[in-house]
Protein backbone atom coordinates (compact mmCIF):
# COMPACT_ATOMS: atom_id res chain seq x y z
CA UNK A 1 0.00 0.00 0.00
CA UNK A 2 1.25 3.44 -0.82
CA UNK A 3 2.25 5.52 2.18
CA UNK A 4 0.30 8.81 2.38
CA UNK A 5 2.41 11.83 1.57
CA UNK A 6 3.99 13.61 4.55
CA UNK A 7 4.27 17.37 5.05
CA UNK A 8 7.91 16.95 4.03
CA UNK A 9 6.92 15.34 0.70
CA UNK A 10 4.58 18.19 -0.16
CA UNK A 11 7.01 20.90 0.92
CA UNK A 12 4.96 22.08 3.89
CA UNK A 13 7.27 21.13 6.76
CA UNK A 14 8.05 24.32 8.74
CA UNK A 15 11.70 25.27 8.20
CA UNK A 16 12.05 26.02 11.90
CA UNK A 17 11.38 23.03 14.18
CA UNK A 18 10.51 22.83 17.89
CA UNK A 19 13.93 22.05 19.36
CA UNK A 20 15.68 24.29 21.87
CA UNK A 21 18.65 24.45 19.50
CA UNK A 22 16.49 26.00 16.79
CA UNK A 23 15.05 28.43 19.32
CA UNK A 24 18.49 29.48 20.57
CA UNK A 25 19.82 29.98 17.03
CA UNK A 26 16.74 32.01 16.18
CA UNK A 27 17.08 34.18 19.31
CA UNK A 28 20.67 34.94 18.28
CA UNK A 29 19.74 35.70 14.67
CA UNK A 30 17.15 38.22 15.86
CA UNK A 31 19.54 39.74 18.43
CA UNK A 32 17.24 38.93 21.32
CA UNK A 33 19.94 37.61 23.66
CA UNK A 34 22.41 39.29 25.98
CA UNK A 35 25.90 38.25 26.88
CA UNK A 36 26.70 36.57 30.18
CA UNK A 37 30.28 36.20 31.22
CA UNK A 38 31.65 32.77 31.99
CA UNK A 39 33.38 32.32 35.28
CA UNK A 40 34.71 29.18 36.79
CA UNK A 41 33.73 29.89 40.33
CA UNK A 42 34.52 27.80 43.34
CA UNK A 43 31.38 26.92 45.22
CA UNK A 44 32.59 28.94 48.24
CA UNK A 45 32.51 32.05 46.07
CA UNK A 46 28.82 31.62 45.42
CA UNK A 47 27.65 32.97 48.72
CA UNK A 48 27.34 36.58 47.58
CA UNK A 49 23.71 36.89 46.50
CA UNK A 50 24.55 39.83 44.24
CA UNK A 51 26.58 37.49 42.05
CA UNK A 52 23.66 35.22 41.52
CA UNK A 53 21.35 37.17 39.26
CA UNK A 54 22.03 34.82 36.39
CA UNK A 55 22.63 37.63 33.91
CA UNK A 56 25.95 39.03 34.97
CA UNK A 57 27.50 35.66 35.43
CA UNK A 58 27.45 32.10 34.36
CA UNK A 59 28.84 29.11 36.12
CA UNK A 60 30.87 26.36 34.68
CA UNK A 61 32.40 23.95 37.10
CA UNK A 62 35.99 23.75 35.97
CA UNK A 63 36.19 20.26 37.37
CA UNK A 64 33.76 18.91 34.80
CA UNK A 65 31.41 17.91 37.60
CA UNK A 66 28.61 20.09 36.33
CA UNK A 67 26.49 17.02 35.77
CA UNK A 68 22.81 17.74 35.41
CA UNK A 69 20.55 15.97 37.88
CA UNK A 70 18.64 13.22 36.09
CA UNK A 71 15.59 11.05 36.65
CA UNK A 72 16.25 7.67 38.18
CA UNK A 73 15.49 4.57 36.14
CA UNK A 74 12.65 2.27 37.19
CA UNK A 75 15.16 -0.21 38.49
CA UNK A 76 16.99 2.43 40.53
CA UNK A 77 13.69 3.56 42.05
CA UNK A 78 12.75 -0.02 42.90
CA UNK A 79 16.11 -0.60 44.59
CA UNK A 80 15.82 2.67 46.49
CA UNK A 81 12.36 1.83 47.84
CA UNK A 82 13.60 -1.61 48.85
CA UNK A 83 16.58 -0.11 50.66
CA UNK A 84 14.40 2.36 52.61
CA UNK A 85 11.35 0.18 53.24
CA UNK A 86 12.04 -0.17 56.95
CA UNK A 87 13.15 3.42 57.52
CA UNK A 88 10.45 5.57 59.05
CA UNK A 89 10.97 9.31 59.62
CA UNK A 90 13.14 9.79 62.73
CA UNK A 91 12.10 12.12 65.55
CA UNK A 92 8.46 12.22 64.46
CA UNK A 93 5.54 11.36 66.75
CA UNK A 94 2.11 10.20 65.57
CA UNK A 95 0.40 12.66 67.92
CA UNK A 96 2.32 15.60 66.44
CA UNK A 97 1.33 14.54 62.93
CA UNK A 98 -2.31 14.18 63.95
CA UNK A 99 -2.12 17.69 65.49
CA UNK A 100 -0.84 19.06 62.19
CA UNK A 101 -3.59 17.27 60.23
CA UNK A 102 -6.21 18.91 62.46
CA UNK A 103 -4.67 22.36 62.54
CA UNK A 104 -1.54 22.95 60.43
CA UNK A 105 -1.39 26.68 61.25
CA UNK A 106 -1.25 26.26 65.02
CA UNK A 107 1.35 23.54 64.79
CA UNK A 108 3.94 25.93 63.37
CA UNK A 109 2.88 29.26 64.90
CA UNK A 110 5.66 29.30 67.48
CA UNK A 111 8.50 28.72 65.00
CA UNK A 112 11.31 31.24 65.09
CA UNK A 113 11.97 30.69 61.40
CA UNK A 114 14.63 32.89 59.83
CA UNK A 115 13.27 32.71 56.33
CA UNK A 116 15.75 33.20 53.52
CA UNK A 117 14.64 33.99 49.98
CA UNK A 118 14.87 31.05 47.59
CA UNK A 119 17.39 32.94 45.50
CA UNK A 120 19.92 32.89 48.33
CA UNK A 121 20.13 29.10 47.88
CA UNK A 122 19.51 28.67 44.19
CA UNK A 123 19.15 30.63 40.99
CA UNK A 124 17.79 30.33 37.51
CA UNK A 125 20.12 31.19 34.66
CA UNK A 126 18.00 32.29 31.68
CA UNK A 127 18.74 31.13 28.15
CA UNK A 128 18.50 34.72 26.97
CA UNK A 129 22.16 35.03 28.04
CA UNK A 130 24.94 33.22 26.29
CA UNK A 131 26.58 30.73 26.57
CA UNK A 132 23.50 28.56 26.07
CA UNK A 133 24.96 25.41 27.55
CA UNK A 134 24.80 27.06 30.95
CA UNK A 135 21.12 27.88 31.25
CA UNK A 136 19.07 26.13 33.89
CA UNK A 137 18.52 25.87 37.62
CA UNK A 138 21.47 25.88 39.99
CA UNK A 139 20.90 24.52 43.49
CA UNK A 140 23.63 25.73 45.84
CA UNK A 141 24.08 22.82 48.17
CA UNK A 142 26.24 24.56 50.82
CA UNK A 143 23.74 27.36 51.54
CA UNK A 144 20.87 24.82 51.35
CA UNK A 145 22.51 22.67 54.03
CA UNK A 146 23.19 25.69 56.29
CA UNK A 147 19.59 26.83 56.00
CA UNK A 148 18.31 23.31 56.60
CA UNK A 149 20.45 23.03 59.72
CA UNK A 150 18.96 26.20 61.17
CA UNK A 151 15.38 25.19 60.33
CA UNK A 152 15.93 21.82 61.91
CA UNK A 153 17.05 23.45 65.15
CA UNK A 154 13.94 25.66 65.21
CA UNK A 155 11.49 22.94 64.28
CA UNK A 156 12.75 19.82 66.08
CA UNK A 157 10.36 20.43 69.02
CA UNK A 158 7.41 20.06 66.67
CA UNK A 159 8.23 16.33 66.26
CA UNK A 160 6.86 16.64 62.75
CA UNK A 161 9.80 16.64 60.33
CA UNK A 162 12.71 14.26 60.25
CA UNK A 163 15.89 15.94 58.95
CA UNK A 164 15.42 14.13 55.62
CA UNK A 165 11.79 15.11 55.23
CA UNK A 166 12.56 18.75 56.07
CA UNK A 167 15.28 18.86 53.40
CA UNK A 168 12.86 17.42 50.83
CA UNK A 169 10.34 20.15 51.62
CA UNK A 170 12.98 22.91 51.40
CA UNK A 171 14.34 21.52 48.13
CA UNK A 172 10.86 21.24 46.58
CA UNK A 173 10.00 24.80 47.59
CA UNK A 174 13.27 26.26 46.30
CA UNK A 175 13.23 24.35 43.00
CA UNK A 176 9.65 25.34 42.27
CA UNK A 177 10.46 29.00 42.97
CA UNK A 178 13.26 28.82 40.41
CA UNK A 179 11.05 26.90 37.98
CA UNK A 180 8.67 29.85 37.96
CA UNK A 181 11.52 31.98 36.60
CA UNK A 182 11.64 29.51 33.71
CA UNK A 183 7.88 29.92 33.22
CA UNK A 184 8.38 33.69 33.12
CA UNK A 185 11.18 33.44 30.57
CA UNK A 186 9.17 30.94 28.50
CA UNK A 187 6.25 33.39 28.51
CA UNK A 188 8.43 36.25 27.30
CA UNK A 189 9.84 33.94 24.62
CA UNK A 190 6.33 33.08 23.41
CA UNK A 191 5.59 36.78 23.06
CA UNK A 192 8.86 37.28 21.13
CA UNK A 193 8.02 34.44 18.73
CA UNK A 194 4.45 35.59 18.15
CA UNK A 195 5.33 39.23 17.56
CA UNK A 196 8.28 38.33 15.29
CA UNK A 197 5.93 36.11 13.27
CA UNK A 198 3.92 39.26 12.62
CA UNK A 199 7.01 41.11 11.47
CA UNK A 200 7.62 42.95 14.72
CA UNK A 201 10.84 41.67 16.33
CA UNK A 202 10.96 42.79 19.97
CA UNK A 203 13.47 41.99 22.73
CA UNK A 204 10.62 41.29 25.16
CA UNK A 205 12.60 39.42 27.80
CA UNK A 206 15.69 41.66 27.98
CA UNK A 207 13.59 44.84 28.02
CA UNK A 208 11.28 43.44 30.69
CA UNK A 209 14.23 42.34 32.85
CA UNK A 210 15.87 45.71 32.65
CA UNK A 211 12.68 47.56 33.58
CA UNK A 212 12.02 45.12 36.40
CA UNK A 213 15.43 45.95 37.80
CA UNK A 214 15.32 49.71 37.34
CA UNK A 215 11.73 50.77 38.10
CA UNK A 216 9.91 47.50 38.84
CA UNK A 217 7.17 49.07 36.67
CA UNK A 218 6.27 51.04 39.83
CA UNK A 219 4.24 48.03 40.87
CA UNK A 220 3.41 47.88 44.60
CA UNK A 221 4.92 44.38 44.93
CA UNK A 222 7.97 44.84 42.71
CA UNK A 223 9.73 42.74 41.67
CA UNK A 224 6.45 40.99 40.88
CA UNK A 225 8.19 37.95 39.39
CA UNK A 226 9.67 37.12 42.83
CA UNK A 227 6.29 37.39 44.55
CA UNK A 228 4.79 35.10 41.91
CA UNK A 229 7.69 32.66 42.17
CA UNK A 230 7.15 32.32 45.93
CA UNK A 231 3.41 31.92 45.40
CA UNK A 232 4.02 29.31 42.69
CA UNK A 233 6.19 27.25 45.08
CA UNK A 234 3.44 27.47 47.70
CA UNK A 235 0.76 26.44 45.20
CA UNK A 236 2.87 23.56 43.88
CA UNK A 237 2.90 22.15 47.42
CA UNK A 238 -0.93 22.35 47.49
CA UNK A 239 -1.04 20.31 44.33
CA UNK A 240 1.02 17.52 45.91
CA UNK A 241 -1.05 17.54 49.10
CA UNK A 242 -4.28 16.66 47.29
CA UNK A 243 -3.87 13.11 48.47
CA UNK A 244 -5.51 11.44 51.44
CA UNK A 245 -4.57 12.75 54.86
CA UNK A 246 -1.49 11.16 56.30
CA UNK A 247 2.11 11.98 57.06
CA UNK A 248 2.93 13.61 53.73
CA UNK A 249 -0.15 15.84 53.70
CA UNK A 250 0.40 16.90 57.30
CA UNK A 251 4.02 17.87 56.68
CA UNK A 252 3.16 19.74 53.48
CA UNK A 253 0.32 21.72 55.04
CA UNK A 254 2.28 22.70 58.12
CA UNK A 255 5.31 23.61 56.00
CA UNK A 256 3.09 25.78 53.78
CA UNK A 257 1.76 27.54 56.86
CA UNK A 258 5.31 28.09 58.09
CA UNK A 259 6.48 29.70 54.85
CA UNK A 260 3.34 31.86 54.68
CA UNK A 261 3.90 33.11 58.21
CA UNK A 262 7.52 33.99 57.44
CA UNK A 263 7.39 35.51 53.96
CA UNK A 264 7.27 38.93 55.59
CA UNK A 265 10.94 38.49 56.57
CA UNK A 266 12.01 38.28 52.92
CA UNK A 267 13.05 41.16 50.61
CA UNK A 268 10.63 43.32 48.60
CA UNK A 269 8.54 41.37 46.11
CA UNK A 270 9.26 38.00 47.73
CA UNK A 271 7.44 39.14 50.84
CA UNK A 272 4.25 39.92 48.94
CA UNK A 273 3.62 36.37 47.77
CA UNK A 274 0.47 35.99 49.87
CA UNK A 275 -1.34 38.28 47.41
CA UNK A 276 -0.92 35.63 44.71
CA UNK A 277 -1.53 32.27 46.33
CA UNK A 278 -4.29 29.85 45.32
CA UNK A 279 -6.53 31.29 42.60
CA UNK A 280 -5.01 34.79 42.96
CA UNK A 281 -2.11 33.60 40.79
CA UNK A 282 -4.32 34.48 37.80
CA UNK A 283 -4.40 38.22 38.54
CA UNK A 284 -0.67 38.15 39.27
CA UNK A 285 0.03 36.41 35.97
CA UNK A 286 -2.04 39.02 34.13
CA UNK A 287 0.05 41.82 35.66
CA UNK A 288 3.24 40.00 34.72
CA UNK A 289 2.07 39.63 31.11
CA UNK A 290 1.25 43.34 31.00
CA UNK A 291 4.74 44.17 32.28
CA UNK A 292 6.29 41.98 29.60
CA UNK A 293 4.20 43.73 26.97
CA UNK A 294 5.66 46.98 28.30
CA UNK A 295 2.33 48.43 29.38
CA UNK A 296 1.27 47.72 32.99
CA UNK A 297 -2.15 49.25 32.25
CA UNK A 298 -2.87 46.59 29.62
CA UNK A 299 -4.62 44.43 32.27
CA UNK A 300 -7.52 46.87 32.03
CA UNK A 301 -7.60 46.98 28.24
CA UNK A 302 -7.40 43.32 27.20
CA UNK A 303 -8.46 40.24 29.23
CA UNK A 304 -4.90 39.15 30.01
CA UNK A 305 -6.33 37.26 32.99
CA UNK A 306 -7.84 34.77 30.50
CA UNK A 307 -4.37 34.04 29.19
CA UNK A 308 -2.90 33.91 32.70
CA UNK A 309 -5.47 31.32 33.79
CA UNK A 310 -5.34 29.01 30.79
CA UNK A 311 -2.11 29.68 28.97
CA UNK A 312 0.75 31.61 30.53
CA UNK A 313 2.57 31.90 32.79
CA UNK A 314 1.26 28.66 34.26
CA UNK A 315 2.65 25.14 34.25
CA UNK A 316 1.90 24.60 30.56
CA UNK A 317 4.05 27.54 29.53
CA UNK A 318 7.35 25.82 30.25
CA UNK A 319 9.53 25.19 27.23
CA UNK A 320 11.00 22.30 29.19
CA UNK A 321 9.12 20.44 31.91
CA UNK A 322 10.37 20.16 35.49
CA UNK A 323 12.27 16.86 35.29
CA UNK A 324 13.99 17.93 32.06
CA UNK A 325 15.20 21.42 32.96
CA UNK A 326 18.98 21.37 33.20
CA UNK A 327 19.39 21.41 36.97
CA UNK A 328 22.74 21.39 38.72
CA UNK A 329 23.64 20.60 42.28
CA UNK A 330 26.62 22.81 42.98
CA UNK A 331 28.84 22.38 46.01
CA UNK A 332 31.93 20.82 47.52
CA UNK A 333 32.28 17.02 47.51
CA UNK A 334 31.58 17.02 51.22
CA UNK A 335 28.42 19.12 50.87
CA UNK A 336 27.17 17.00 47.97
CA UNK A 337 27.68 13.82 50.00
CA UNK A 338 25.82 15.27 53.01
CA UNK A 339 23.01 16.34 50.70
CA UNK A 340 22.81 12.92 49.01
CA UNK A 341 22.43 11.30 52.42
CA UNK A 342 19.37 13.46 53.08
CA UNK A 343 17.90 13.33 49.56
CA UNK A 344 18.68 10.07 47.75
CA UNK A 345 16.58 10.91 44.65
CA UNK A 346 16.91 14.67 44.04
CA UNK A 347 15.14 14.90 40.67
CA UNK A 348 12.12 12.98 41.97
CA UNK A 349 12.24 15.03 45.19
CA UNK A 350 12.13 18.47 43.60
CA UNK A 351 9.62 17.56 40.90
CA UNK A 352 7.18 15.34 42.84
CA UNK A 353 8.23 15.54 46.48
CA UNK A 354 9.03 11.86 46.35
CA UNK A 355 10.77 10.45 49.41
CA UNK A 356 11.50 6.79 50.06
CA UNK A 357 10.79 6.77 53.81
CA UNK A 358 8.11 4.52 55.21
CA UNK A 359 5.28 6.35 56.97
CA UNK A 360 2.71 3.52 56.99
CA UNK A 361 2.44 3.41 60.81
CA UNK A 362 1.83 7.17 61.04
CA UNK A 363 -0.64 7.09 58.15
CA UNK A 364 -2.55 4.28 59.84
CA UNK A 365 -2.66 6.26 63.10
CA UNK A 366 -4.04 9.33 61.30
CA UNK A 367 -6.64 7.23 59.48
CA UNK A 368 -7.75 5.66 62.75
CA UNK A 369 -8.03 9.06 64.47
CA UNK A 370 -10.09 10.35 61.56
CA UNK A 371 -12.45 7.39 61.87
CA UNK A 372 -12.83 8.10 65.58
CA UNK A 373 -13.62 11.77 64.88
CA UNK A 374 -16.16 10.75 62.28
CA UNK A 375 -17.86 8.36 64.67
CA UNK A 376 -17.92 11.07 67.36
CA UNK A 377 -19.53 13.53 64.97
CA UNK A 378 -22.18 11.01 63.98
CA UNK A 379 -23.00 10.31 67.62
CA UNK A 380 -23.25 13.99 68.58
CA UNK A 381 -26.69 15.59 68.15
CA UNK A 382 -26.92 17.84 65.06
CA UNK A 383 -25.95 21.48 65.65
CA UNK A 384 -24.15 20.70 68.91
CA UNK A 385 -20.75 22.16 69.67
CA UNK A 386 -19.07 18.84 68.95
CA UNK A 387 -20.68 18.50 65.54
CA UNK A 388 -19.70 22.04 64.58
CA UNK A 389 -16.16 21.44 65.78
CA UNK A 390 -16.04 18.42 63.49
CA UNK A 391 -17.07 20.49 60.49
CA UNK A 392 -14.40 23.03 61.25
CA UNK A 393 -11.73 20.35 61.25
CA UNK A 394 -12.93 18.99 57.95
CA UNK A 395 -12.62 22.35 56.27
CA UNK A 396 -8.90 22.46 56.84
ZN1 LIG B 1 13.55 34.25 42.47
Amino acid sequence: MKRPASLLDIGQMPKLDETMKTLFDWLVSKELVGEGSTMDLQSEDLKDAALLDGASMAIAQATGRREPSRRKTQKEMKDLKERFKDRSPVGVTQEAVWGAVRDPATSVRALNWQKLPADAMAFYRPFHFRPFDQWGIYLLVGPLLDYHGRLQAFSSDLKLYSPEVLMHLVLFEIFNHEFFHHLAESTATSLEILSAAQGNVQPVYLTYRQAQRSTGFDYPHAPLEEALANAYAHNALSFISRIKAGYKTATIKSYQEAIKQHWHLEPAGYRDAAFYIDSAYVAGGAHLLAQMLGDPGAVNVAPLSCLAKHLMPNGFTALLQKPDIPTYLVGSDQALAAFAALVPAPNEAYTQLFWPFNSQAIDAFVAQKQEEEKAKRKAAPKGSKNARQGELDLSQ
Side-chain angles (χ1 to χ4, degrees):
M1 210 174 80
K2 199 168 165 273
R3 187 175 61 89
S6 70
L7 284 183
L8 199 60
D9 297 332
I10 61 168
Q12 292 299 327
M13 187 59 100
K15 284 204 177 73
L16 299 175
D17 66 18
E18 72 279 25
T19 62
M20 293 300 271
K21 162 98 176 57
T22 300
L23 173 64
F24 295 162
D25 290 346
W26 180 80
L27 289 172
V28 171
S29 73
K30 299 295 172 195
E31 297 178 6
L32 298 176
V33 298
E35 290 299 329
S37 56
T38 303
M39 291 188 279
D40 289 330
L41 283 187
Q42 297 298 317
S43 52
E44 301 84 67
D45 297 333
L46 294 173
K47 286 190 181 130
D48 182 357
L51 277 175
L52 302 179
D53 68 12
S56 59
M57 66 166 293
I59 292 178
Q61 289 285 83
T63 55
R65 298 205 44 206
R66 204 170 58 96
E67 282 279 307
S69 153
R70 62 163 182 86
R71 267 185 265 205
K72 292 215 181 299
T73 62
Q74 271 185 347
K75 164 134 192 2
E76 285 170 328
M77 285 302 273
K78 210 176 138 223
D79 293 348
L80 190 68
K81 285 176 188 165
E82 179 61 26
R83 195 147 51 86
F84 280 84
K85 72 177 189 322
D86 298 324
R87 285 247 321 251
S88 50
V90 176
V92 176
T93 66
Q94 297 176 336
E95 289 73 19
V97 175
W98 173 236
V101 169
R102 288 176 58 102
D103 188 357
T106 304
S107 68
V108 294
R109 196 158 289 153
L111 280 187
N112 179 21
W113 198 290
Q114 288 171 9
K115 186 95 176 77
L116 279 185
D119 298 326
M121 294 169 272
F123 64 94
Y124 174 69
R125 187 176 193 286
F127 52 75
H128 273 77
F129 296 97
R130 284 193 280 204
F132 295 121
D133 68 350
Q134 303 206 349
W135 84 277
I137 292 174
Y138 290 77
L139 300 164
L140 310 176
V141 174
L144 269 169
L145 287 169
D146 291 347
Y147 182 62
H148 170 260
R150 289 202 298 279
L151 289 193
Q152 218 186 306
F154 293 134
S155 64
S156 63
D157 286 351
L158 298 177
K159 308 271 183 237
L160 204 49
Y161 314 120
S162 71
E164 291 86 356
V165 162
L166 186 58
M167 186 50 120
H168 279 75
L169 289 162
V170 171
L171 178 69
F172 184 89
E173 179 204 350
I174 302 304
F175 174 86
N176 277 276
H177 175 107
E178 301 306 334
F179 182 71
F180 186 82
H181 291 312
H182 176 61
L183 293 182
E185 187 181 25
S186 297
T187 298
T189 308
S190 302
L191 297 175
E192 287 174 338
I193 294 172
L194 291 172
S195 66
Q198 294 185 302
N200 180 21
V201 176
Q202 296 253 20
V204 174
Y205 187 65
L206 295 182
T207 309
Y208 152 80
R209 252 185 97 94
Q210 201 174 20
Q212 186 186 237
R213 280 161 176 276
S214 55
T215 65
F217 300 93
D218 298 320
Y219 192 72
H221 307 142
L224 174 62
E225 190 176 321
E226 298 301 348
L228 296 180
N230 266 359
Y232 180 84
H234 169 277
N235 293 349
L237 280 163
S238 302
F239 197 72
I240 301 279
S241 70
R242 278 181 211 157
I243 47 176
K244 72 176 180 350
Y247 182 57
K248 190 164 262 182
T249 319
T251 53
I252 290 173
K253 290 198 170 150
S254 60
Y255 186 80
Q256 269 184 314
E257 286 299 327
I259 58 178
K260 254 194 274 187
Q261 287 175 23
H262 295 86
W263 272 333
H264 68 96
L265 299 172
E266 295 193 38
Y270 298 84
R271 69 168 82 107
D272 302 307
F275 283 94
Y276 307 101
I277 56 174
D278 305 330
S279 59
Y281 79 90
V282 172
H287 280 292
L288 189 75
L289 275 170
Q291 293 183 357
M292 286 177 172
L293 292 165
D295 178 6
V299 283
N300 303 318
V301 175
L304 294 178
S305 294
C306 272
L307 294 187
K309 178 161 171 66
H310 301 292
L311 210 56
M312 58 190 177
N314 67 27
F316 303 111
T317 318
L319 286 166
L320 282 190
Q321 292 304 316
K322 288 179 192 178
D324 305 319
I325 293 248
T327 298
Y328 305 100
L329 295 163
V330 184
S332 66
D333 287 349
Q334 199 189 4
L336 289 172
F339 182 81
L342 291 164
V343 183
N347 191 299
E348 289 72 15
Y350 60 63
T351 55
Q352 312 152 39
L353 198 59
F354 163 82
W355 61 57
F357 314 107
N358 186 337
S359 63
Q360 276 172 357
I362 306 174
D363 296 338
F365 181 83
V366 168
Q368 184 206 328
K369 281 285 181 189
Q370 281 184 316
E371 282 303 314
E372 286 172 21
E373 291 268 303
K374 223 163 107 188
K376 240 191 263 170
R377 277 199 303 278
K378 260 196 183 155
K382 252 202 153 51
S384 76
K385 191 165 174 279
N386 264 354
R388 284 200 305 276
Q389 183 65 38
E391 279 159 27
L392 265 181
D393 288 344
L394 275 182
S395 71
Q396 279 158 5

